[in-house]
Amino acid sequence: MLMPKKVKHRKIHRGRLKGTAQKGSSISFGEIAIKALERGKLNSRQIEAARISITRKVKRGGKLWIRVFPDQPFTKKPAETRQGKGKGNPEGFEARVLPGRILFELAGVNNEVGIAALKAAASKLPIKTKVITIED
Amino acid sequence: MGSLVLKAEKRSETGKNINRRLRASGMIPAVVYSHGVGESISVCQKEFTGLFKGHISESVILTLMIDGKEQDAYIKDYQKHPVTDQMIHLDFFKVTDGEKIHTFVALEFVGSPAGVKKGGVFEPIEREIEVEVLPRDLLEKIVVDVTKLEIGESVHISDLKVPDSMSFKQDASHSLAHVVTLRTSDDEEPEEESEVIADAE
């Protein structure tokens, strides 16, 4: 799974996601891509699930680029805990995604297989997305 | 010179609110300039998308009809909305006869490389290339034949067949595309999460 090698702060504020993606909003490496239509947070498990889904559909050949990296830690309180007593424990890492952001890019496969693979991957993600091609 | 004709209107008012209203009325705010002198114009969204059918080319010279006055120009830059893909703004650069222009020309790779049949993957490195060319020699796209490309081989700028007046900003040895072998990626099992998070801390 994707995660930072080291982090400066173990716990960070949640903050708000505002605006649209200004960078990383166009296809740079591949031919087909998944584009986010909503803002949200993708954790490393979801990114990994989507990656596995693409590799399984594509089977052989093809090259995949993951354009987001889960570099923000998130915390969770243990089950059946009362509120208060400080912030929860670090649970994992997530990538913060704004609308328009390219999430995955794929090249070296025919469009039909590629689109099917990316659609399968999109169903593993918690936000609305669309599959775009370089011709779009 | 340009075979494509695009009607444009001069616009005197600028600013985000004016331009927002302009876009809502089906127009695209634009600017046409050359040698530091420019003027604000607006073009019809529908007419513009009809000309380019989705893919905008920066290597096509078109004739702008600015309030009835003809002006050859090419698209120097454009801004699209990241989600809706609506055109937000266009930059046109005026073409002066006999003066070289700097622009990007699309590369079209044709044919199935020989290396792909042997298990390689064809990977374009560049999809467009920066050129300096006289307006009359400007090509809409450069066609590159990649049928003879074996695994590990690349196509370089020096392999392109282009008019003499066209020069490239990058070295002649710069690779445009290659056929590579891929490392077989297997589905790795996710590692034990608690251990991974502890490492990162």
Side-chain angles (χ1 to χ4, degrees), chain B residues 125-138:
Chain B
I125 297 165
E126 304 282 352
R127 292 193 186 276
E128 53 182 21
I129 189 164
E130 194 176 357
V131 298
E132 197 180 50
V133 66
L134 285 172
R136 61 183 155 83
D137 291 332
L138 183 61

Side-chain angles (χ1 to χ4, degrees), chain B residues 69-133:
Chain B
K69 203 177 159 191
E70 286 186 13
Q71 174 65 58
D72 285 337
Y74 66 95
I75 298 169
K76 185 81 175 166
D77 198 12
Y78 60 89
Q79 291 170 26
K80 267 176 147 182
H81 191 278
V83 184
T84 60
D85 281 344
Q86 189 199 0
M87 196 57 67
I88 294 172
H89 190 268
L90 290 164
D91 276 24
F92 293 101
F93 194 87
K94 286 181 196 171
V95 172
T96 317
D97 270 344
E99 190 180 298
K100 281 194 171 182
I101 56 175
H102 296 259
T103 189
F104 288 88
V105 179
L107 296 170
E108 190 183 47
F109 299 103
V110 291
S112 176
V116 172
K117 288 163 195 160
K118 293 172 187 167
V121 173
F122 175 70
E123 192 185 341
I125 297 165
E126 304 282 352
R127 292 193 186 276
E128 53 182 21
I129 189 164
E130 194 176 357
V131 298
E132 197 180 50
V133 66

Side-chain angles (χ1 to χ4, degrees), chain B residues 15-53:
Chain B
K16 71 177 176 189
N17 286 327
I18 297 287
N19 284 332
R20 188 178 53 80
R21 281 195 280 273
L22 200 66
R23 285 182 203 110
S25 69
M27 302 294 280
I28 310 170
V31 63
V32 55
Y33 56 85
S34 170
H35 300 296
V37 184
E39 60 179 329
S40 302
I41 57 167
S42 61
V43 297
C44 177
Q45 170 101 43
K46 211 172 174 182
E47 204 179 323
F48 181 79
T49 41
L51 280 183
F52 286 98
K53 298 195 174 60

Side-chain angles (χ1 to χ4, degrees), chain A residues 1 3-7 10 20-21 25 29-31 35 37 45 48 51-52 55-56 61-63 65 90-93 99-100 108 130 134, chain B residues 53-55 80-85 118-119 121-125 127 178 180 182 185-191 193 196-201:
Chain A
M1 271 197 302
M3 61 179 305
K5 283 198 181 83
K6 61 177 184 179
V7 287
R10 290 173 64 234
T20 54
S25 62
F29 307 104
E31 289 151 8
K35 186 177 231 184
L37 297 179
R45 286 179 175 195
E48 180 65 8
R51 185 195 70 82
I52 291 174
T55 16
R56 285 195 180 150
K63 195 168 176 185
W65 289 265
E91 185 72 15
F93 292 91
K130 69 174 174 182
I134 199 142
Chain B
K53 298 195 174 60
H55 186 74
K80 267 176 147 182
H81 191 278
V83 184
T84 60
D85 281 344
K118 293 172 187 167
V121 173
F122 175 70
E123 192 185 341
I125 297 165
R127 292 193 186 276
H178 56 188
V180 289
L182 286 180
S185 59
D186 43 357
D187 300 337
E188 302 144 20
E189 285 302 313
E191 295 164 58
E193 182 147 326
V196 171
I197 292 162
D199 286 349
E201 288 164 13

